[in-house]
Amino acid sequence: MIKTVLTVNPNNEIGTIAPEIYGHFSEHLGRCIYEGIFVGRDSDIPNTNGIRNDVVDALKAVRLPVLRWPGGCFADEYHWKDGIGPLEERRRMVNTNWGGVVEDNSFGTHEFLDLCEQIGCEPYISVNVGSGTVQEAAEWIEYMTAPGESTFSKLREKNGRKEPWKVKYIGIGNENWGCGGSMEPQYYASEYKKYQQFCKDYGDNHLYKIACGPSADDYNWTRELLSHVNKWHTKAISLHYYTIPYDWEHKGSATDFNEKDYYVTLRGTRYIEEIIDKHLAIMDELDKEHEISLIVDEWGTWYDVEPGTNPGFLFQQNTMRDALVASINLNIFNSRCTRIAMANIAQVVNVLQAMILTEGAKIVKTPTYEVFDMYKEHQGARLVESAVFNSETGTDEVRIPALSQSASIKEQNGEKVLTLTVSNASLTDEAEIEIALPEGFVFDGEAAVSVLTGDMHDCNTFEEPDKVKQTRRSENWSGRTHTLTVPACGIVSASCKVK
Ligand code: AHR
């Protein structure tokens, strides 16, 4: 048994947790868009304008704040004009990055922005730098956001949408150090500056421009990029970091793994903390006023694909191990909320560390989905100081900190509500944690407590969709301390009034 103390200081507010930290990513990859989100108007699967109602409902329930599209690597071979106008006239192409399948462009700009309106989230569009042109990017922005009588607003109207959309987040290229053009950082910085110059604000739409940042621990990319690109050019740079248990050749199975693999995966996911802090330290040097934010716009686990599935579709199951990964990452992002403006887990449906899996009309919410649900009260809340006296866990070979936590405060009806999320990575020991408030504060009433736990291999399948589900209870919390038990391989969220 782990016995410890977690101190929470509501007096020390650190910053606001941007709801966008709970963002998502959708790419034309495997069965993410087609089947997972878009089934077409004629489908028997209940849909609105071809978009699955069950998926939209599930994403609304976790208050999905922002959705990135159309890629990923796909973004740098996507030509937006192929995806507008009458369906039968849309150009077909080969999706060279992902499985070599034919992309019929039936899901394009109108369909994506309709999806965002149905979910109630901000769109985040990645424009094509790798194989596109500045003119193409500039015209896409005009098509989506320009009011009035411009050539592209008239074309938009002809295609069924008179009112311009509001599009805030624009990513200029994706992984331009790799699939987005194999560029050197100096070359990309010049390209970036040119593109951003022609991505204009129309009417009352204001773009938040995002430059392609580093891969994992490529600190040189960050340094070079920010030596050439400044706050006048960009609001943020993006970071991509995937949790791959060993290496690209030995990723391992999503479901068939041992205790060592489990701890190695969690150690790998915790490495993001060091990566983020080192990139932030470089940003501190080159952007002293902190006017450029960091966005982690691809993160999550990447395992071998499920046996028998297309290797280019990146379809993997999702277990309690992934739930722990999600919880640790979200706590890390929360704790750096003064610098991290957004994070997007990869990907939302049927790809990599998915929130949702689909098979025909069936849908499964993964353990990762449960974590996003348990953490949703942090969105828009103010992070407050918290500290835990941690202990180590793992095998003889692999040691990691057992616990991870974050705490935030929100005003509700004039009262302060504290939300606490704690995960326990130990496979053997439950954690008995005394939560302690400082002098002058007490817990005040009913706490809503949710617990997610199970064997590390537990997952939700189409045969057994509810195997891993949070259990909810309410408890009476009073006084300055309360003891919370977090099961082994478990995550707890608790919200309670404090005064
Ligand atoms: O998410 C899958 C791929 O991973 C994305 O297309 C790319 O940006 C990254 O390498």
Side-chain angles (χ1 to χ4, degrees):
M1 150 106 69
I2 300 167
K3 252 179 161 297
T4 189
V5 175
L6 193 170
T7 56
V8 177
N9 186 355
N11 278 324
N12 192 0
E13 292 186 359
I14 294 158
T16 299
I17 300 173
E20 288 79 6
I21 283 181
Y22 291 80
H24 295 265
F25 171 35
S26 57
E27 181 168 9
H28 289 242
L29 193 178
R31 298 186 303 110
C32 180
I33 298 293
Y34 301 110
E35 292 186 40
I37 291 172
F38 189 71
V39 287
R41 289 169 194 262
D42 299 335
S43 172
D44 292 338
I45 299 172
N47 68 82
T48 305
N49 305 331
I51 295 168
R52 291 178 76 124
N53 294 342
D54 52 359
V55 169
V56 168
D57 289 345
L59 298 178
K60 276 164 84 167
V62 290
R63 302 184 201 149
L64 183 144
V66 59
L67 187 61
R68 180 169 179 252
W69 174 84
C73 297
F74 181 78
D76 281 288
E77 66 174 6
Y78 182 64
H79 300 283
W80 68 272
K81 286 177 192 161
D82 297 345
I84 56 169
L87 276 184
E88 56 291 355
E89 289 171 22
R90 294 193 189 180
R91 181 173 162 267
R92 293 160 77 85
M93 64 182 277
V94 177
N95 189 334
T96 59
N97 283 290
W98 306 118
V101 294
V102 171
E103 162 66 56
D104 68 2
N105 276 305
S106 53
F107 188 90
T109 303
H110 289 250
E111 290 76 17
F112 173 67
L113 293 170
D114 182 20
L115 168 67
C116 292
E117 285 183 340
Q118 290 189 35
I119 297 171
C121 71
E122 295 276 356
Y124 170 7
I125 301 266
S126 278
V127 303
N128 182 343
V129 171
S131 69
T133 63
V134 174
Q135 183 181 0
E136 183 184 15
E139 289 173 351
W140 198 7
I141 310 287
E142 183 182 333
Y143 183 85
M144 292 185 287
T145 62
E149 300 283 313
S150 87
T151 304
F152 286 99
S153 58
K154 295 303 279 179
L155 181 59
R156 182 186 68 230
E157 187 175 345
K158 186 172 157 232
N159 288 332
R161 172 83 183 199
K162 183 167 171 39
E163 281 306 301
W165 288 283
K166 283 272 181 297
V167 176
K168 179 174 173 187
Y169 298 108
I170 292 289
I172 297 183
N174 169 76
E175 297 194 352
N176 301 94
W177 33 262
C179 65
S182 299
M183 300 177 193
E184 298 300 326
Q186 299 84 343
Y187 179 81
Y188 170 73
S190 300
E191 285 292 283
Y192 175 82
K193 285 196 280 189
K194 191 168 57 173
Y195 269 75
Q196 65 79 32
Q197 193 75 47
F198 296 96
C199 291
K200 308 270 185 184
D201 287 348
Y202 290 93
D204 58 357
N205 190 66
H206 296 292
L207 298 177
Y208 180 110
K209 296 170 196 165
I210 301 159
C212 164
S215 166
D217 49 10
D218 181 356
Y219 304 114
N220 182 53
W221 182 277
T222 301
R223 187 170 289 287
E224 287 296 331
L225 178 65
L226 291 182
S227 301
H228 298 92
V229 167
N230 61 37
K231 65 172 180 181
W232 305 108
H233 309 121
T234 193
K235 296 291 278 181
I237 65 167
S238 63
L239 162 72
H240 288 185
Y241 176 69
Y242 283 97
T243 300
I244 297 159
Y246 294 96
D247 56 50
W248 287 101
E249 276 68 50
H250 307 94
K251 297 193 287 293
S253 158
T255 50
D256 184 12
F257 55 92
N258 61 28
E259 289 192 7
K260 181 181 163 204
D261 302 334
Y262 166 90
Y263 288 118
V264 164
T265 308
L266 298 190
R267 183 178 64 188
T269 222
R270 277 190 168 268
Y271 181 47
I272 200 172
E273 194 166 20
E274 178 181 328
I275 292 175
I276 288 172
D277 289 346
K278 288 188 171 164
H279 286 296
L280 289 177
I282 296 168
M283 294 168 73
D284 284 347
E285 279 175 46
L286 299 168
D287 168 41
K288 293 197 169 35
E289 305 299 320
H290 291 181
E291 283 167 297
I292 299 177
S293 297
L294 187 66
I295 284 181
V296 189
D297 66 15
E298 287 186 31
W299 67 273
T301 54
W302 192 320
Y303 308 120
D304 293 338
V305 298
E306 290 305 311
T309 65
N310 185 329
F313 280 14
L314 310 186
F315 177 72
Q316 64 190 40
Q317 246 298 358
N318 195 294
T319 65
M320 271 306 297
R321 173 173 63 163
D322 296 276
L324 265 295
V325 165
S327 128
I328 290 168
N329 277 276
L330 292 172
N331 285 335
I332 290 171
F333 302 152
N334 285 347
S335 70
R336 284 145 183 86
C337 67
T338 55
R339 308 296 301 283
I340 298 182
M342 188 196 295
N344 309 82
I345 189 170
Q347 297 191 7
V348 70
V349 189
N350 288 336
V351 171
L352 298 175
Q353 190 176 348
M355 301 278 284
I356 291 170
L357 306 177
T358 67
E359 191 180 84
K362 289 190 237 161
I363 169 172
V364 154
K365 295 173 191 160
T366 64
T368 297
Y369 177 94
E370 294 295 308
V371 174
F372 273 77
D373 190 54
M374 292 166 72
Y375 275 58
K376 64 179 187 270
E377 293 307 328
H378 283 314
Q379 290 190 28
R382 296 183 309 278
L383 180 81
V384 294
E385 185 191 3
S386 66
V388 68
F389 293 90
N390 221 328
S391 48
E392 277 198 342
T393 187
T395 62
D396 290 345
E397 279 170 278
V398 191
R399 307 296 296 163
I400 59 165
L403 305 174
S404 144
Q405 94 293 341
S406 52
S408 69
I409 293 268
K410 238 181 206 171
E411 304 290 335
Q412 269 169 24
N413 306 322
E415 297 177 307
K416 281 185 191 314
V417 177
L418 171 76
T419 293
L420 196 59
T421 48
V422 190
S423 63
N424 176 10
S426 169
L427 290 172
T428 47
D429 295 288
E430 68 176 20
E432 197 182 279
I433 304 175
E434 185 184 276
I435 305 160
L437 296 173
E439 194 118 9
F441 277 98
V442 286
F443 293 111
D444 183 29
E446 223 167 77
V449 180
S450 288
V451 181
L452 187 73
T453 187
D455 180 86
M456 64 180 177
H457 299 109
D458 282 352
C459 58
N460 294 331
T461 62
F462 296 102
E463 294 70 42
E464 209 179 345
D466 293 327
K467 189 174 173 89
V468 186
K469 282 275 161 242
Q470 57 190 294
T471 53
R472 296 183 171 92
R473 59 174 192 261
S474 68
E475 288 175 354
N476 216 25
W477 290 18
S478 59
R480 262 184 62 200
T481 62
H482 184 86
T483 300
L484 187 69
T485 301
V486 185
C489 191
I491 301 152
V492 173
S493 71
S495 292
C496 186
K497 276 191 277 176
V498 290
K499 65 175 189 193

